[in-house]
Amino acid sequence: MKVQDMMRGYDYDLPLLDVLKNNEKDDNGDPQISVDRRVLAGATVGIGLDVAYLAITELQEAFTALASDVRNTTGYGEGYKDIEEILRDKNPYQMRL
């Protein structure tokens, strides 16, 4: 049996829901899973793998370009334009992230 066949019916939201519902504390009383990770998991529940991958990749590339603009003291560079375009498009998943 191929891995693709095994994964065809897999619910990819299950690990996200596990993270979202995890309220366990460590020995110091701190959450085992940070609030940030839980919020990101909640934002990603129900999003298809391809949509999530493309949206996150676009954000990562835009922030990398923006960091490059800052290093090069470029006021209105490629990163700024990329972020502006993402904000203009208002992709609901990217807005949550």
Side-chain angles (χ1 to χ4, degrees):
M1 178 177 274
K2 294 181 179 181
V3 173
Q4 290 174 333
D5 295 334
M6 291 174 32
M7 299 303 287
R8 186 166 289 123
Y10 181 73
D11 183 0
Y12 291 97
D13 287 340
L14 290 177
L16 296 171
L17 292 170
D18 286 345
V19 169
L20 185 60
K21 295 176 184 177
N22 186 319
N23 290 322
E24 296 178 21
K25 308 271 186 206
D26 63 14
D27 294 336
N28 297 325
D30 297 325
Q32 282 185 343
I33 297 178
S34 71
V35 174
D36 294 335
R37 283 186 62 195
R38 292 178 65 204
V39 168
L40 288 172
T44 307
V45 169
I47 302 297
L49 294 178
D50 53 345
V51 173
Y53 176 80
L54 293 172
I56 291 169
T57 301
E58 183 180 24
L59 280 170
Q60 185 270 327
E61 289 171 353
F63 280 111
T64 299
L66 189 61
S68 177
D69 290 348
V70 170
R71 274 193 309 277
N72 297 328
T73 62
T74 305
Y76 190 76
E78 194 64 34
Y80 184 92
K81 292 174 187 173
D82 290 347
I83 295 292
E84 190 176 55
E85 184 178 329
I86 288 169
L87 292 173
R88 190 177 330 110
D89 290 344
K90 295 183 180 168
N91 174 315
Y93 179 59
Q94 287 178 325
M95 294 299 100
R96 282 183 286 191
L97 293 176

